[in-house]
Amino acid sequence: DVKVTQSSRYLVKRTGEKVFLECVQDMDHENMFWYRQDPGLGLRLIYFSYDVKMKEKGDIPEGYSVSREKKERFSLILESASTNQTSMYLCASTPGQGYEQYFGPGTRLTVT
Amino acid sequence: GQNIDQPTEMTATEGAIVQINCTYQTSGFNGLFWYQQHAGEAPTFLSYNVLDGLEEKGRFSSFLSRSKGYSYLLLKELQMKDSASYLCAVVKAAGNKLTFGGGTRVLVKP
């Protein structure tokens, strides 16, 4: 079974802190994604990566950056957390086009 | 841009059938996914349609009409465990990016 893990299920941070969310997949997938999920807005794509050291902006990249130094790991970085970044963050991976995306369990981030 | 619309909430009775509609307007199209998401859990894959027609998988079926920009997910013989949110997501013509609708919360009552 494909496994996508995320470093924390729940996280509480203060405004202005730098926040790292880690995602690891164990199936050698090329493609990895970061989404946030908010009530009424569904899942929105923040950043994605098709290969190591490669990244592309999604629909809402402002306030975020990413890092992919190894194939299995995709990190989401909040340079200076703000209260409007309080959300559920979901990581996903897929082997390629036409295949389903496999999601991690999510990290519920609260910024106070 | 892409607009993907699905109803916010639906209620149905155990044993009944429910149809969740999804309409989309996209600048490119390379398939449509349906995912199920229970409260507090990750979305899990249900179906993928890239050609017109009906795909049946047990109690769940998914239909696609590309010319109409329309899909539906049909849940038959509803069970209490089917209470969840159902997410429609469209793949653009290039790449693996998914654009999601807002999700439909289905509540199954006894």
Side-chain angles (χ1 to χ4, degrees), chain B residues 94-107:
Chain B
N96 305 306
K97 286 176 56 176
L98 292 184
T99 300
F100 284 83
T104 299
R105 193 190 315 185
V106 172
L107 177 63

PDB file of all heavy atoms in Angstrom, chain B residues 94-107:
ATOM      1  N   ALA B  94      -2.820  19.428 -19.308  1.00  0.00           N
ATOM      2  CA  ALA B  94      -1.402  19.120 -19.142  1.00  0.00           C
ATOM      3  C   ALA B  94      -1.073  18.924 -17.673  1.00  0.00           C
ATOM      4  O   ALA B  94      -1.489  19.706 -16.840  1.00  0.00           O
ATOM      5  CB  ALA B  94      -0.552  20.247 -19.697  1.00  0.00           C
ATOM      6  N   GLY B  95      -0.361  17.861 -17.371  1.00  0.00           N
ATOM      7  CA  GLY B  95       0.100  17.686 -16.003  1.00  0.00           C
ATOM      8  C   GLY B  95      -0.881  16.953 -15.121  1.00  0.00           C
ATOM      9  O   GLY B  95      -1.897  16.438 -15.573  1.00  0.00           O
ATOM     10  N   ASN B  96      -0.537  16.869 -13.871  1.00  0.00           N
ATOM     11  CA  ASN B  96      -1.321  16.113 -12.910  1.00  0.00           C
ATOM     12  C   ASN B  96      -2.070  16.994 -11.926  1.00  0.00           C
ATOM     13  O   ASN B  96      -2.589  16.512 -10.931  1.00  0.00           O
ATOM     14  CB  ASN B  96      -0.387  15.196 -12.112  1.00  0.00           C
ATOM     15  CG  ASN B  96       0.423  14.323 -13.016  1.00  0.00           C
ATOM     16  OD1 ASN B  96      -0.123  13.632 -13.855  1.00  0.00           O
ATOM     17  ND2 ASN B  96       1.739  14.352 -12.877  1.00  0.00           N
ATOM     18  N   LYS B  97      -2.143  18.269 -12.193  1.00  0.00           N
ATOM     19  CA  LYS B  97      -2.821  19.167 -11.252  1.00  0.00           C
ATOM     20  C   LYS B  97      -4.301  18.862 -11.198  1.00  0.00           C
ATOM     21  O   LYS B  97      -4.947  18.677 -12.222  1.00  0.00           O
ATOM     22  CB  LYS B  97      -2.640  20.620 -11.694  1.00  0.00           C
ATOM     23  CG  LYS B  97      -1.267  21.188 -11.461  1.00  0.00           C
ATOM     24  CD  LYS B  97      -1.168  22.593 -12.020  1.00  0.00           C
ATOM     25  CE  LYS B  97      -2.225  23.524 -11.472  1.00  0.00           C
ATOM     26  NZ  LYS B  97      -2.047  24.911 -11.953  1.00  0.00           N
ATOM     27  N   LEU B  98      -4.820  18.787  -9.968  1.00  0.00           N
ATOM     28  CA  LEU B  98      -6.248  18.621  -9.769  1.00  0.00           C
ATOM     29  C   LEU B  98      -6.830  19.941  -9.289  1.00  0.00           C
ATOM     30  O   LEU B  98      -6.240  20.622  -8.451  1.00  0.00           O
ATOM     31  CB  LEU B  98      -6.523  17.557  -8.705  1.00  0.00           C
ATOM     32  CG  LEU B  98      -6.178  16.110  -9.022  1.00  0.00           C
ATOM     33  CD1 LEU B  98      -6.614  15.208  -7.879  1.00  0.00           C
ATOM     34  CD2 LEU B  98      -6.811  15.671 -10.321  1.00  0.00           C
ATOM     35  N   THR B  99      -8.005  20.269  -9.801  1.00  0.00           N
ATOM     36  CA  THR B  99      -8.765  21.395  -9.276  1.00  0.00           C
ATOM     37  C   THR B  99     -10.046  20.818  -8.697  1.00  0.00           C
ATOM     38  O   THR B  99     -10.793  20.144  -9.403  1.00  0.00           O
ATOM     39  CB  THR B  99      -9.070  22.428 -10.358  1.00  0.00           C
ATOM     40  OG1 THR B  99      -7.836  22.919 -10.897  1.00  0.00           O
ATOM     41  CG2 THR B  99      -9.838  23.595  -9.766  1.00  0.00           C
ATOM     42  N   PHE B 100     -10.269  21.101  -7.420  1.00  0.00           N
ATOM     43  CA  PHE B 100     -11.378  20.499  -6.698  1.00  0.00           C
ATOM     44  C   PHE B 100     -12.591  21.414  -6.622  1.00  0.00           C
ATOM     45  O   PHE B 100     -12.465  22.648  -6.538  1.00  0.00           O
ATOM     46  CB  PHE B 100     -10.943  20.176  -5.261  1.00  0.00           C
ATOM     47  CG  PHE B 100     -10.069  18.971  -5.135  1.00  0.00           C
ATOM     48  CD1 PHE B 100      -8.701  19.063  -5.348  1.00  0.00           C
ATOM     49  CD2 PHE B 100     -10.609  17.741  -4.804  1.00  0.00           C
ATOM     50  CE1 PHE B 100      -7.884  17.940  -5.241  1.00  0.00           C
ATOM     51  CE2 PHE B 100      -9.800  16.619  -4.683  1.00  0.00           C
ATOM     52  CZ  PHE B 100      -8.445  16.718  -4.916  1.00  0.00           C
ATOM     53  N   GLY B 101     -13.762  20.799  -6.614  1.00  0.00           N
ATOM     54  CA  GLY B 101     -14.967  21.497  -6.227  1.00  0.00           C
ATOM     55  C   GLY B 101     -15.001  21.631  -4.712  1.00  0.00           C
ATOM     56  O   GLY B 101     -14.109  21.132  -4.009  1.00  0.00           O
ATOM     57  N   GLY B 102     -16.031  22.286  -4.216  1.00  0.00           N
ATOM     58  CA  GLY B 102     -16.117  22.532  -2.784  1.00  0.00           C
ATOM     59  C   GLY B 102     -16.483  21.307  -1.951  1.00  0.00           C
ATOM     60  O   GLY B 102     -16.387  21.344  -0.732  1.00  0.00           O
ATOM     61  N   GLY B 103     -16.900  20.229  -2.628  1.00  0.00           N
ATOM     62  CA  GLY B 103     -17.273  19.021  -1.907  1.00  0.00           C
ATOM     63  C   GLY B 103     -18.756  18.990  -1.571  1.00  0.00           C
ATOM     64  O   GLY B 103     -19.378  20.038  -1.353  1.00  0.00           O
ATOM     65  N   THR B 104     -19.307  17.788  -1.526  1.00  0.00           N
ATOM     66  CA  THR B 104     -20.705  17.590  -1.157  1.00  0.00           C
ATOM     67  C   THR B 104     -20.753  16.718   0.084  1.00  0.00           C
ATOM     68  O   THR B 104     -20.262  15.584   0.065  1.00  0.00           O
ATOM     69  CB  THR B 104     -21.489  16.898  -2.282  1.00  0.00           C
ATOM     70  OG1 THR B 104     -21.455  17.710  -3.449  1.00  0.00           O
ATOM     71  CG2 THR B 104     -22.936  16.649  -1.859  1.00  0.00           C
ATOM     72  N   ARG B 105     -21.343  17.246   1.158  1.00  0.00           N
ATOM     73  CA  ARG B 105     -21.468  16.445   2.373  1.00  0.00           C
ATOM     74  C   ARG B 105     -22.753  15.642   2.287  1.00  0.00           C
ATOM     75  O   ARG B 105     -23.833  16.212   2.126  1.00  0.00           O
ATOM     76  CB  ARG B 105     -21.490  17.332   3.600  1.00  0.00           C
ATOM     77  CG  ARG B 105     -21.297  16.519   4.863  1.00  0.00           C
ATOM     78  CD  ARG B 105     -21.542  17.275   6.134  1.00  0.00           C
ATOM     79  NE  ARG B 105     -20.952  18.586   6.157  1.00  0.00           N
ATOM     80  CZ  ARG B 105     -20.980  19.376   7.225  1.00  0.00           C
ATOM     81  NH1 ARG B 105     -21.522  18.964   8.333  1.00  0.00           N
ATOM     82  NH2 ARG B 105     -20.447  20.580   7.184  1.00  0.00           N
ATOM     83  N   VAL B 106     -22.629  14.328   2.368  1.00  0.00           N
ATOM     84  CA  VAL B 106     -23.789  13.430   2.323  1.00  0.00           C
ATOM     85  C   VAL B 106     -24.043  12.884   3.720  1.00  0.00           C
ATOM     86  O   VAL B 106     -23.137  12.342   4.359  1.00  0.00           O
ATOM     87  CB  VAL B 106     -23.556  12.277   1.325  1.00  0.00           C
ATOM     88  CG1 VAL B 106     -24.669  11.241   1.437  1.00  0.00           C
ATOM     89  CG2 VAL B 106     -23.460  12.816  -0.094  1.00  0.00           C
ATOM     90  N   LEU B 107     -25.266  13.056   4.154  1.00  0.00           N
ATOM     91  CA  LEU B 107     -25.670  12.525   5.455  1.00  0.00           C
ATOM     92  C   LEU B 107     -26.664  11.406   5.226  1.00  0.00           C
ATOM     93  O   LEU B 107     -27.710  11.613   4.593  1.00  0.00           O
ATOM     94  CB  LEU B 107     -26.287  13.642   6.297  1.00  0.00           C
ATOM     95  CG  LEU B 107     -26.832  13.236   7.668  1.00  0.00           C
ATOM     96  CD1 LEU B 107     -25.707  12.716   8.551  1.00  0.00           C
ATOM     97  CD2 LEU B 107     -27.540  14.399   8.345  1.00  0.00           C
TER      98      LEU B 107
END
